[in-house]
Amino acid sequence: MLVLLLLVWVPMSELDLYEWFYEVSRAHEDWDLDETVILLLLLPLPLTWYTWRRMREAQKQTERLLELERQLSHARKMDGLGTLAAGMAHQVNNQLQPVIGLSELIVVQTAEEDPRLRQLEMIRDAAMRARGSLDTVLRISRRRNEFGGEVDVTQNMADLVDMLSLSCPSDVTFLPIISDALPEPKMAWDDLESVIMNLFSNALAAIGGAQGSVTFTATPGQMSGVDGLFLSLSDTGVGITPDMLSRIFEPYFTSKPVGEGTGLGLWQVQELLRNVGGQISVDSQPGSGAQFKVWVPGIFRAEDNHWTKGSVAREAAG
Amino acid sequence: MAHILLIEDDAAVRDTFEIILGADGHQVTMAADGLQGLSLLRTLKVDLVLTDIIMPNCDGVEVIRALRKRADAPPIIAISGGARTSAVNYLEVAKLLGAQQILSKPVGAMELLRTISDVLAAQPVK
Ligand SMILES: Nc1ncnc2c1ncn2[C@@H]1O[C@H](COP(=O)(O)OP(=O)(O)OP(=O)(O)O)[C@@H](O)[C@H]1O
Ligand SMILES: [Mg+2]
């Protein structure tokens, strides 16, 4: 832009072009030359503004990328071991499948008095033990926070919300509203997930095949001075009658036909929460849906704060 | 016996399941991923679908979702070798989505056959 201005200005002042221009414009008033010049001089303004806007955008984009990269490397560091273990366990489980599947098949096809039966059983049992070791690794890598490891709540919530929306029938609208500043739950993530999944599947069951919506919210909040997470799952399903309301948390209480529900879902949810000092309550009117509210104690980790403000939860909620 | 569609990307596991199912007299059609499985299902009528969960090219979760949309969907058994590297347990999701049963790999021959006959027995006779 500057160069352009110089290109116009230098020859004009050097070569006395102003004089010439003045003469010409006087001679041809009808050409409106003054206006044209003013217009030309104004042209750089929007161009400058546009360039500046683009630069700002590019700068923001770079910042976003840097932030993402920072988050990623943080996540990698935290996840490295667990991811490796989980990936490996998955692979080895596949590799063990022929050993376990086929040895067992041959065991049942082999006559009792065949001396090779014992050898086959040894192969099968060794593979079974290997499966057991892998299960332990998987369990530990999944339940890291039981062992005091950190959990990326924002990412985990985003993953969970993805899964829930994936499993929502097309007639049901799923509305997740997830805060991006949640504390880390003082509860194994698997267990918290199990709580939410149970409430979610109950909500879907209450809607039945009909049209409806399920709202899932997760916000930070305190309960008698203790930090924690407030979760709620509300649905537009059939609702719960007052006499049922007092019984739904009982083990084996179910309104579902035999073979469809165990009636253990809500009981498990309540037990899991009781174990960690959490709470659950329910609000419902027959015919106008139900709302389950959960509180789980949690902690804010100091170094987490920059990190929980990531964009992931916002995107998931949007 | 039953006609079973087996969707599994790992060739060794696929062959293993084919042998086990065959030993119980089932007829087996095989697909190497979800996409192939779904396209087979467009023309093929089966009594049961046995699908892996974690596969390239349309995984088991998508297969179950696509199948559930159909009124005459066959029952589904989902089978997986472990967690994908996220916080979510995919077998739980499969169940939530409507798989009749879920199994973890490696699964014993007898457990597999028993699960299949249970699921088939629970189906209303047509
Ligand atoms: N959101 C809801 N709306 C209406 N009724 C509900 C809701 N959630 C639970 N209930 C009632 O509470 C009962 C007990 O729920 P619970 O989760 O313990 O068992 P279930 O859902 O019947 O069985 P399972 O969890 O094994 O599938 C349900 O059968 C249902 O009658
Ligand atoms: Mg339930």
Side-chain angles (χ1 to χ4, degrees):
Chain A
M1 200 45 58
L2 258 167
V3 179
L4 212 75
L5 282 173
L6 278 175
L7 271 178
V8 175
W9 181 69
V10 171
M12 277 187 111
S13 52
E14 288 299 306
L15 305 173
D16 270 345
L17 277 176
Y18 287 119
E19 286 299 317
W20 170 81
F21 182 79
Y22 180 76
E23 299 285 298
V24 174
S25 65
R26 280 302 93 166
H28 303 278
E29 292 267 10
D30 56 320
W31 286 5
D32 283 342
L33 277 177
D34 296 357
E35 282 83 346
T36 314
V37 168
I38 288 174
L39 206 77
L40 274 174
L41 286 176
L42 282 178
L43 209 64
L45 271 176
L47 276 174
T48 315
W49 180 76
Y50 178 73
T51 316
W52 180 77
R53 275 287 301 269
R54 290 298 298 263
M55 253 171 62
R56 274 282 301 267
E57 248 168 59
Q59 199 178 348
K60 270 204 197 123
Q61 183 82 19
T62 319
E63 268 166 27
R64 245 198 331 261
L65 281 175
L66 277 175
E67 172 65 20
L68 217 68
E69 200 175 331
R70 228 184 356 253
Q71 292 184 2
L72 215 68
S73 82
H74 186 120
R76 274 211 203 100
K77 230 177 4 222
M78 284 186 350
D79 261 10
L81 207 64
T83 307
L84 194 71
M88 202 197 73
H90 176 239
Q91 205 174 344
V92 180
N93 273 333
N94 268 303
Q95 291 158 350
L96 277 176
Q97 181 62 65
V99 186
I100 287 185
L102 294 179
S103 59
E104 199 187 285
L105 186 67
I106 309 176
V107 165
V108 293
Q109 290 172 344
T110 306
E112 196 74 57
E113 58 282 357
D114 193 324
R116 287 173 305 180
L117 185 61
R118 175 82 200 103
Q119 295 163 20
L120 265 175
E121 282 172 347
M122 282 170 70
I123 295 176
R124 182 198 58 190
D125 294 347
M128 287 296 216
R129 275 196 300 280
R131 174 173 84 168
S133 310
L134 282 176
D135 276 352
T136 313
V137 172
L138 261 185
R139 216 171 30 245
I140 291 173
S141 71
R142 268 202 228 131
R143 302 202 171 204
R144 249 165 314 141
N145 71 335
E146 251 183 3
F147 297 83
E150 283 178 34
V151 176
D152 177 1
V153 188
T154 308
Q155 184 60 52
N156 284 7
M157 272 294 180
D159 282 350
L160 180 61
V161 162
D162 275 356
M163 272 306 110
L164 295 181
S165 37
L166 200 68
S167 44
C168 228
S170 47
D171 287 339
V172 178
T173 316
F174 179 50
L175 302 161
I177 303 166
I178 313 295
S179 156
D180 56 4
L182 292 173
E184 198 175 299
K186 286 187 179 168
M187 181 174 193
W189 184 263
D190 261 20
D191 291 343
L192 185 63
E193 204 169 273
S194 180
V195 165
I196 296 167
M197 291 247 225
N198 258 304
L199 297 178
F200 183 74
S201 79
N202 283 351
L204 289 187
I207 295 173
Q211 295 249 332
S213 67
V214 177
T215 309
F216 170 41
T217 70
T219 48
Q222 290 195 329
M223 179 82 95
S224 15
V226 181
D227 277 328
L229 297 83
F230 281 107
L231 310 173
S232 85
L233 264 131
S234 5
D235 62 68
T236 56
V238 291
I240 310 168
T241 58
D243 58 315
M244 257 169 68
L245 211 52
S246 58
R247 301 196 54 203
I248 54 173
F249 291 102
E250 286 174 17
Y252 303 111
F253 176 80
T254 180
S255 61
K256 294 176 184 168
V258 182
E260 267 186 38
T262 59
L264 288 176
L266 283 178
W267 175 74
Q268 260 168 3
V269 165
Q270 194 181 39
E271 286 304 298
L272 285 173
L273 289 169
R274 207 207 308 275
N275 284 342
V276 296
Q279 292 180 18
I280 182 163
S281 64
V282 53
D283 258 329
S284 180
Q285 297 293 323
S288 53
Q291 181 180 30
F292 284 82
K293 288 190 217 156
V294 167
W295 185 78
V296 181
I299 47 167
F300 285 104
R301 286 186 197 269
E303 95 253 33
D304 261 14
N305 283 343
H306 75 276
W307 151 250
T308 37
K309 289 197 192 91
S311 54
V312 195
R314 264 195 297 278
E315 275 162 24
Chain B
M1 282 283 107
H3 186 179
I4 297 173
L5 175 67
L6 168 61
I7 310 176
E8 165 68 61
D9 62 321
D10 186 320
V13 176
R14 204 163 57 229
D15 293 346
T16 301
F17 287 161
E18 189 195 13
I19 294 169
I20 295 173
L21 299 180
D24 213 22
H26 296 297
Q27 183 194 344
V28 185
T29 302
M30 296 194 282
D33 60 38
L35 226 52
Q36 204 184 340
L38 284 177
S39 79
L40 275 172
L41 278 170
R42 234 168 272 140
T43 49
L44 199 69
K45 220 168 147 28
V46 298
D47 305 307
L48 187 133
V49 174
L50 182 66
T51 181
D52 189 16
I53 292 293
I54 303 169
M55 290 181 291
N57 276 343
C58 169
D59 64 18
V61 171
E62 284 167 65
V63 172
I64 300 170
R65 244 155 73 91
L67 265 185
R68 211 188 38 177
K69 293 209 186 97
R70 299 178 16 175
D72 61 339
I76 303 162
I77 297 177
I79 186 158
S80 173
R84 207 187 287 236
T85 53
S86 85
V88 175
N89 183 341
Y90 278 76
L91 278 177
E92 290 287 326
V93 173
K95 186 125 197 201
L96 205 58
L97 277 170
Q100 269 70 9
Q101 272 300 339
I102 49 177
L103 289 171
S104 314
K105 276 189 236 169
V107 58
M110 294 306 113
E111 189 187 353
L112 179 61
L113 291 176
R114 200 178 330 109
T115 308
I116 289 175
S117 67
D118 285 353
V119 168
L120 287 173
Q123 286 307 296
V125 268
K126 284 170 211 152

